[in-house]
Amino acid sequence: MIKIAVLGATGYAGIELVRILSSHPEADIRVLGSQSFDGQPISKVYKNFEHVLDLNCEKLDLDKVSECDVAFTALPHGASKDVIPSLIESGLKVIDLSGDFRYDDVKVYEKWYGQEHSAPELLKESVYGLPELYRDKIKGARLIGNPGCYTTCSILGAYPVLKSGLGNSENIIVDAKSGVTGAGRGLSLAYHFCECTENTKAYKVATHRHTSEIEQELSKAAGKEVMISFTPHLIPQKRGILSTIYVNLDKKCTTEELVEIYKEFYKDEYFVRVKEAGELPETKHVAGSNFVDIGMVVDPRLDRAVIVSALDNIYKGAAGQAVQNMNLMFGLDEKTGIANAGFYL
Amino acid sequence: MIKIAVLGATGYAGIELVRILSSHPEADIRVLGSQSFDGQPISKVYKNFEHVLDLNCEKLDLDKVSECDVAFTALPHGASKDVIPSLIESGLKVIDLSGDFRYDDVKVYEKWYGQEHSAPELLKESVYGLPELYRDKIKGARLIGNPGCYTTCSILGAYPVLKSGLGNSENIIVDAKSGVTGAGRGLSLAYHFCECTENTKAYKVATHRHTSEIEQELSKAAGKEVMISFTPHLIPQKRGILSTIYVNLDKKCTTEELVEIYKEFYKDEYFVRVKEAGELPETKHVAGSNFVDIGMVVDPRLDRAVIVSALDNIYKGAAGQAVQNMNLMFGLDEKTGIANAGFYL
Amino acid sequence: MIKIAVLGATGYAGIELVRILSSHPEADIRVLGSQSFDGQPISKVYKNFEHVLDLNCEKLDLDKVSECDVAFTALPHGASKDVIPSLIESGLKVIDLSGDFRYDDVKVYEKWYGQEHSAPELLKESVYGLPELYRDKIKGARLIGNPGCYTTCSILGAYPVLKSGLGNSENIIVDAKSGVTGAGRGLSLAYHFCECTENTKAYKVATHRHTSEIEQELSKAAGKEVMISFTPHLIPQKRGILSTIYVNLDKKCTTEELVEIYKEFYKDEYFVRVKEAGELPETKHVAGSNFVDIGMVVDPRLDRAVIVSALDNIYKGAAGQAVQNMNLMFGLDEKTGIANAGFYL
Amino acid sequence: MIKIAVLGATGYAGIELVRILSSHPEADIRVLGSQSFDGQPISKVYKNFEHVLDLNCEKLDLDKVSECDVAFTALPHGASKDVIPSLIESGLKVIDLSGDFRYDDVKVYEKWYGQEHSAPELLKESVYGLPELYRDKIKGARLIGNPGCYTTCSILGAYPVLKSGLGNSENIIVDAKSGVTGAGRGLSLAYHFCECTENTKAYKVATHRHTSEIEQELSKAAGKEVMISFTPHLIPQKRGILSTIYVNLDKKCTTEELVEIYKEFYKDEYFVRVKEAGELPETKHVAGSNFVDIGMVVDPRLDRAVIVSALDNIYKGAAGQAVQNMNLMFGLDEKTGIANAGFYL
């Protein structure tokens, strides 16, 4: 059994981690870290856990955490980077859900996050936790920067067309729609039911931090620097991201041919489902699961691919992917505890 | 492994069964019966199953079904009762999700369903599949009438106060609110998004069939004939039933004392969670799980108990309970495959 | 034109008032009172008003307000009662949306609100602003206690059966379901989208303040003291209350006969729509309008009436009713500016 | 008073027309055409109209319709074009909500709609009913092709940047999100509540008919042929379209400068609200109103404008715009009956 600490257990990503781990056959949850709910049973904070998990939340106690094998840190950006070095030093593996350890280049982090990085040495050794691209590195890592929700969806959606050389690296547009769990659990009028339901809006246009993560990975795919338009939208549902990605093609290609490129690229991936030509993803197909669904249409009038990718932002976009990383780091079958179909209903 | 046929696999209760069974460690799904989708892969009908379950829907083939150990029949009322006798004869255990095998008295069935019963002999041996009340009988049964969603919620909510002798058997009101999955998957303008969202209504007031099931069981609890007002409502959410139950008390009693009666009654039940005084159930605490949450307030001005019970109508109210029954019938731990916490988000 | 001040203009009831008044042919909005948004254009706080209403919010300036003909006070309970005496003294008519001036008996107010009443003299002269019951008094009033949303729905639903002598005054149950606008605009995790959507719950069981308002009026209908069970529920929609009311009948009666009693009672009322036998209200029929829809079923097994009433909680349950009162107080046709059909969609 | 026939009155666009017209001071609704509900009171089909509008639906009677001054035809594509020639011949003005009379070039219609046009002569004289672009022509027209919902939103959003010469005509992307009323009222499992809520999807990628309407108008703005990627999405809300439009800029420009171009272009338009730099539209700001809100951000890294436009698809995108056209055709103030703020809540 893997002894586990979840730090930041009562946020939405944290509690989804706890939910997944509470059914995971190799997981032994030892610590539920929460500043705000210190001393309270998790089953009083999230009452769905009554009878299922009998554990109290507690504020950070590094000694206690250090007895675990792995820590998931689902803390606000900046907070996690103070804690992580000492966890690493204690010999834990760490899977960090913040943005702090996702970058190849500290300067990119500092530009987009507007603050100095406090552990640049660790950043160097950290591995970007996208198993479909970095599986082997993840297996040997002791620190994972677990990718963001928008980024996982967008990178996996755009990677193959760029890697294949078919997609042009200019004029790439990623228009993404996210459910409200993405906003987290902090108090804000903007996320009240009466302000969110029956409402759709764009936000942080041209300035969202995830832009830099997507560009970092797509640049590798293209073999040259890629800059994209990334536009996040808030839509009135809890779970789900749908990214609609526009990529100009450098030569004629049919939808079927492009689908074939994607099927080949992801042929060994359980968690990526490439749709047949004529089919497109919907968020309800992935909600509550670790799957990413990707469909596409080539517009022959414009020689442009429209690629649609969908995932559950707090599952494959956060907690589920973190567990997938844990499975890899501890030599388990990658699908352990997360192979299930989504809710649909 | 238990070899399983799900007949009526593509309705909402059926597909929830398939979802639960696809993660159940002892379940081997052999047959997915569906008239409408004969020959189609289940993963094309419900695309959340792609990569998870690779099985085609097929129309009823009794020979093939008879090679299974158990059949779940999630067919329309009346349809299942033509199929079930031959399944029983073939030696299968049958768990029927229709209303056909839920009654002690065939006359009650015929009155409320407005049709003759086609298998009255089988009705006599069938067992009402509410494990919290009939666990021992279920273990030995070969035919289960799996209770309805409204009824499970209402019976478990009202049983202890009546059984204890504290509740008066007159003037019992059950005011129930159900999510839209309860209406099933049949085409109807009334269940279109634009007609359902932002809308609440009562329906079938004083005439809903589940009234008779609730009365049958509560009469046993009270030791005398109980007649209730049962009012179903449709509320704009997918999953969840909340029943608000009003019972006059024959003597003074505090909320705390009533809670104690419920805690004692359900003290060995994993799937029933009695809330402390001051807490009340919410449907989000049970959605996606097999739990029933029950809370209560005694109104000292009126000597009346207001009992609130909540469950997920397609899980504990249909598919999850059916699996719970299967576990019991096959000697497994009752919680196998259904012990998990709900989604919450 | 009537010169109008809306105090508390940026809460949900306040802004609905502003919306209705901005299309009212006799309304001249002069003051938009708001502590929190002092100095800001209303069209920046509620951007639906851009191009429609060009007025700044301002903090309370009694001199300026005193130049108006009427003030609507949509302030928190307690706050309005400090302001109202001076407005009355200045010669304004006042329509108060708080609970402060809705009671015949100051003791009832003080018991249910848990505080002393600061203007008991004014309470004596204030009129309960339910036009369907108190139209004549309202016409001559200078201070209106505008009824609450739950109360308007419940009182109008239950009044005729009690007034007719047919309904028994014992064992009355009011089970009410409300949209989330009823909770107002204050910050609270409980009203966040992800906590409200796909969720239904009961709250303040046996203790909600509106109980006392409903009892006050139904006691007058019955000619004797009435005590009820009132259970409010929160349902995942913005607008709408549906009250399901259970009343035992003292003699046999058909649904058609009961409908006839209601049709007779409300025969001159534009804003009350009594449904034919076989039809029941739905909240989407009334959302965005000043209508109350009432339908009913008599259960012949139990000699019990199940009466369902529906309204829009921030329209007929707050702002629309306040405008209806203003129309009466200023000698206008009661329907002026509020005669429209609801949105439906 | 203008004597009015609404043909196709019981679809979602039709009933929104009826709702708007029932409060319009110059409208006299004479005929409610509906094949499916012939003989039924409109207030039984849409119960929000009880007490408000006392008129029966009726199947098409050209003699009766010909006594009106204007007919709104909200019929399925193809159906309206059989009726309209005879209405025109009878001297009525016709405002057609189908796609039949929106095209300059009959070949474009026939290509995108896959059928021959039955009244090409009338198509030549019909006027595209977008008042912000064609106000003068509309005033004198007897046949209006009322623009679609996606198109109104997208054209008004993209027009000024192209007209100004700043926007490049290549690589234009319109990523649009629509509420479910846009799908109309026909029976379809895809639009059931349980299939739509908590779900977002793209559909008809690269093939949606509205693409051709948008290209027709934007080509005029640009002064050269424009071909766009247009991707419609279905989002879980009733009303509202949000279009996110990507246009490369031919020279450096700040957000503020672009906003200024838009403000100048729309300076006389009541129904277009250009947002200040730093603000963006949301669908809740326009729902229930005839407004189009447009905001924008220039991405200086890419010299690309991201323009966001929002409207209510059945109001400004259908019924409200049709009334705006009627007002113009009959010499009324364009805002008559449709000047109101949206619901917000």
Side-chain angles (χ1 to χ4, degrees), chain D residues 57-75:
Chain D
C57 299
E58 50 189 296
K59 61 175 194 287
L60 186 63
D61 171 350
L62 279 175
D63 285 349
K64 188 163 175 198
V65 175
S66 70
E67 289 163 22
C68 292
D69 300 312
V70 62
F72 294 91
T73 47
L75 302 167

Side-chain angles (χ1 to χ4, degrees), chain C residues 14 56 73 77 90 109 130 208 219 270 272 281 291 305 320 339:
Chain C
N56 278 13
T73 46
H77 296 289
S90 304
Y109 172 88
L130 196 49
H208 194 284
S219 294
Y270 178 76
V272 183
F291 290 104

Side-chain angles (χ1 to χ4, degrees), chain C residues 302-314:
Chain C
L302 299 161
D303 294 327
R304 186 175 296 150
V306 183
I307 302 154
V308 181
S309 57
L311 53 69
D312 180 331
N313 55 302
I314 59 170

Side-chain angles (χ1 to χ4, degrees), chain A residues 221-249:
Chain A
K224 66 175 81 159
E225 196 193 358
V226 168
M227 289 205 298
I228 64 165
S229 283
F230 171 67
T231 311
H233 296 78
L234 195 69
I235 48 175
Q237 61 188 67
K238 283 188 289 190
R239 289 172 184 254
I241 282 181
L242 192 95
S243 288
T244 310
I245 304 167
Y246 302 84
V247 181
N248 290 336
L249 300 178

Side-chain angles (χ1 to χ4, degrees), chain B residues 169-324:
Chain B
S169 63
E170 310 258 316
N171 283 304
I172 298 174
I173 309 281
V174 178
D175 190 284
K177 300 90 183 162
S178 172
V180 186
T181 48
R185 216 188 182 210
L187 276 185
S188 166
L189 181 61
Y191 305 122
H192 271 215
F193 181 82
C194 299
E195 304 286 331
C196 277
T197 193
E198 281 285 306
N199 194 43
T200 290
K201 65 174 176 183
Y203 66 98
K204 292 192 185 165
V205 175
T207 60
H208 195 283
R209 288 165 172 177
H210 283 181
T211 311
S212 56
E213 248 181 279
I214 304 171
E215 289 180 349
Q216 168 179 290
E217 298 304 313
L218 295 190
S219 294
K220 291 183 215 166
K224 65 175 83 158
E225 197 192 356
V226 167
M227 289 204 300
I228 63 164
S229 284
F230 171 67
T231 310
H233 296 77
L234 195 70
I235 47 175
Q237 61 188 66
K238 285 189 287 191
R239 290 170 183 255
I241 282 182
L242 192 95
S243 290
T244 311
I245 304 168
Y246 301 85
V247 180
N248 290 335
L249 301 178
D250 280 339
K251 55 180 179 182
K252 284 275 168 206
C253 160
T254 65
T255 299
E256 286 74 10
E257 286 163 350
L258 188 59
V259 166
E260 203 41 53
I261 288 169
Y262 274 71
K263 285 198 171 275
E264 177 62 24
F265 190 87
Y266 290 122
K267 65 174 186 289
D268 297 326
E269 298 299 334
Y270 178 74
F271 290 121
V272 182
R273 302 187 292 202
V274 178
K275 316 298 284 183
E276 301 297 333
E279 289 186 9
L280 287 171
E282 308 187 19
T283 63
K284 75 180 170 203
H285 299 156
V286 294
S289 83
N290 204 49
F291 290 104
V292 182
D293 284 3
I294 307 175
M296 62 210 72
V297 175
V298 173
D299 187 340
R301 301 192 316 145
L302 299 161
D303 293 328
R304 185 176 295 152
V306 184
I307 302 153
V308 182
S309 58
L311 53 69
D312 180 330
N313 53 303
I314 58 171
Y315 207 114
K316 176 66 177 173
Q321 182 145 272
V323 174
Q324 189 181 358

Side-chain angles (χ1 to χ4, degrees), chain B residues 16-261:
Chain B
E16 183 74 351
L17 254 170
V18 175
R19 188 177 76 85
I20 295 170
L21 292 169
S22 70
S23 296
H24 189 291
E26 298 296 328
D28 175 14
I29 307 177
R30 292 289 180 93
V31 177
L32 296 177
S34 167
Q35 292 299 110
S36 341
F37 296 98
D38 179 34
Q40 293 185 41
I42 190 68
S43 63
K44 288 294 179 192
V45 185
Y46 285 93
K47 296 183 179 175
N48 52 325
F49 282 102
E50 210 186 333
H51 285 199
V52 177
L53 187 64
D54 183 19
L55 213 54
N56 277 15
C57 300
E58 49 189 299
K59 62 173 193 288
L60 186 63
D61 172 350
L62 279 175
D63 284 348
K64 186 162 176 199
V65 175
S66 69
E67 290 163 21
C68 293
D69 300 312
V70 62
F72 293 92
T73 47
L75 302 168
H77 296 290
S80 53
K81 71 180 174 346
D82 300 329
V83 172
I84 289 167
S86 57
L87 295 178
I88 293 288
E89 212 165 302
S90 303
L92 273 77
K93 293 177 192 289
V94 175
I95 299 167
D96 180 40
L97 280 75
S98 84
D100 291 350
F101 295 100
R102 295 173 184 163
Y103 288 88
D104 297 335
D105 181 348
V106 70
K107 292 208 192 72
V108 174
Y109 172 86
E110 293 181 342
K111 179 181 160 203
W112 286 85
Y113 283 76
Q115 53 182 295
E116 216 176 325
H117 199 287
S118 71
E121 289 311 306
L122 276 177
L123 178 57
K124 275 184 203 147
E125 78 153 280
S126 68
V127 173
Y128 194 63
L130 196 49
E132 287 74 14
L133 298 182
Y134 300 107
R135 184 167 287 113
D136 286 340
K137 283 191 182 170
I138 291 164
K139 286 177 180 171
R142 50 179 200 166
L143 174 55
I144 294 289
N146 203 62
C149 48
Y150 280 129
T151 52
T152 298
C153 192
S154 306
I155 292 166
L156 294 179
Y159 207 93
V161 71
L162 291 174
K163 187 71 181 176
S164 72
L166 189 63
N168 191 292
S169 63
E170 310 258 316
N171 283 304
I172 298 174
I173 309 281
V174 178
D175 190 284
K177 300 90 183 162
S178 172
V180 186
T181 48
R185 216 188 182 210
L187 276 185
S188 166
L189 181 61
Y191 305 122
H192 271 215
F193 181 82
C194 299
E195 304 286 331
C196 277
T197 193
E198 281 285 306
N199 194 43
T200 290
K201 65 174 176 183
Y203 66 98
K204 292 192 185 165
V205 175
T207 60
H208 195 283
R209 288 165 172 177
H210 283 181
T211 311
S212 56
E213 248 181 279
I214 304 171
E215 289 180 349
Q216 168 179 290
E217 298 304 313
L218 295 190
S219 294
K220 291 183 215 166
K224 65 175 83 158
E225 197 192 356
V226 167
M227 289 204 300
I228 63 164
S229 284
F230 171 67
T231 310
H233 296 77
L234 195 70
I235 47 175
Q237 61 188 66
K238 285 189 287 191
R239 290 170 183 255
I241 282 182
L242 192 95
S243 290
T244 311
I245 304 168
Y246 301 85
V247 180
N248 290 335
L249 301 178
D250 280 339
K251 55 180 179 182
K252 284 275 168 206
C253 160
T254 65
T255 299
E256 286 74 10
E257 286 163 350
L258 188 59
V259 166
E260 203 41 53
I261 288 169

